[in-house]
Amino acid sequence: DTGVSQNPRHKITKRGQNVTFRCDPISEHNRLYWYRQTLGQGPEFLTYFQNEAQLEKSRLLSDRFSAERPKGSFSTLEIQRTEQGDSAMYLCASSSFPGQGLAAFFGQGTRLTVV
Amino acid sequence: LAKTTQPISMDSYEGQEVNITCSHNNIATNDYITWYQQFPSQGPRFIIQGYKTKVTNEVASLFIPADRKSSTLSLPRVSLSDTAVYYCLVGMDSSYKLIFGSGTRLLVRP
């Protein structure tokens, strides 16, 4: 296993289009997280899954955002009707609970540019 | 999750030891102290985690005093490739929401 994988690495889309990102976590990890990061800021929590259950969504996640983790494996994050303010790096992370404290493993991220 | 405070930026030179201190006055009994490193255009990378006293791995050391209200990440003999943002996080094993502040931007000069 080579770690957390995110695809695509880069995405340029026109305002109003829908985009979908994929995250493949470390296989034995039961927790999966999505974060968003803009230039000069730390990552901001968006949502998290324990196995296939989505247990919390940040208020940052408007109705245009949806995330799934079917069968507790890979996850997708979809943004509908993209806006320029959605331009950011979208990060996925995974961890194993219990027992790892705050240690999570992040992917390389998907950089979204909305033009 | 306990709030953390760390310097916005630090400068160092190659070969020096760098110590980055994080304050977490409201740390709870069961909270871990965890540090991440992030290079530009990459996701954060977990580097070290501790609960009390000292932890050392191949990358860094983490010093935690008895009262646990602060912690110090120590990077021995830094190189240019250690230029990155370093984040201090505090929370319990059950914490699912990792709270990243703005971190400490370390610049290592030749």
Side-chain angles (χ1 to χ4, degrees):
Chain A
D1 194 307
T2 56
V4 178
S5 176
Q6 291 188 247
N7 287 287
R9 292 291 311 280
H10 304 274
K11 179 71 176 178
I12 300 174
T13 191
K14 292 183 179 179
R15 189 175 54 184
Q17 298 294 304
N18 299 342
V19 294
T20 300
F21 309 141
R22 178 179 170 120
C23 172
D24 288 273
I26 294 173
S27 57
E28 63 268 26
H29 285 176
N30 53 2
R31 284 188 167 178
L32 186 147
Y33 317 78
W34 285 98
Y35 282 78
R36 180 171 69 186
Q37 187 173 27
T38 54
L39 198 62
Q41 303 298 314
E44 296 175 293
F45 172 80
L46 292 179
T47 189
Y48 117 95
F49 292 83
Q50 177 102 3
N51 300 310
E52 66 275 12
Q54 186 176 19
L55 298 185
E56 180 160 334
K57 292 173 60 173
S58 164
R59 285 170 292 184
L60 292 173
L61 220 61
S62 74
D63 291 344
R64 297 184 296 106
F65 288 70
S66 62
E68 294 183 341
R69 191 184 183 195
K71 302 179 184 178
S73 56
F74 72 93
S75 176
T76 58
L77 177 69
E78 181 183 17
I79 308 174
Q80 296 182 327
R81 304 182 303 283
T82 52
E83 301 173 355
Q84 287 189 321
D86 298 330
S87 295
M89 175 79 87
Y90 289 84
L91 295 162
C92 175
S94 69
S95 71
S96 179
F97 174 77
Q100 286 194 352
L102 303 183
F105 297 85
F106 282 78
Q108 298 276 54
T110 294
R111 181 168 296 283
L112 173 66
T113 303
V114 181
V115 297
Chain B
L1 295 175
K3 179 178 170 60
T4 61
T5 303
Q6 52 184 123
I8 294 173
S9 64
M10 295 182 69
D11 278 16
S12 183
Y13 291 93
E14 280 191 293
Q16 290 189 332
E17 178 183 73
V18 171
N19 296 310
I20 306 174
T21 297
C22 178
S23 297
H24 27 80
N25 291 318
N26 296 323
I27 190 168
T29 303
N30 296 325
D31 282 349
Y32 286 88
I33 300 163
T34 308
W35 287 80
Y36 285 80
Q37 174 191 57
Q38 187 175 26
F39 300 115
S41 299
Q42 294 190 23
R45 179 175 79 118
F46 166 79
I47 50 174
I48 199 165
Q49 176 168 266
Y51 181 74
K52 61 181 178 181
T53 64
K54 176 184 173 183
V55 179
T56 297
N57 62 22
E58 65 278 5
V59 176
S61 293
L62 178 59
F63 296 92
I64 304 170
D67 67 6
R68 304 200 329 122
K69 293 184 183 297
S70 66
S71 59
T72 299
L73 175 73
S74 182
L75 304 172
R77 298 177 301 281
V78 293
S79 64
L80 298 177
S81 63
D82 292 315
T83 293
V85 179
Y86 293 83
Y87 297 96
C88 167
L89 282 70
V90 175
M92 292 190 295
D93 185 45
S94 57
S95 300
Y96 55 82
K97 191 185 298 185
L98 305 180
I99 305 295
F100 290 83
S102 297
T104 297
R105 296 183 178 278
L106 173 65
L107 173 62
V108 180
R109 302 177 186 273

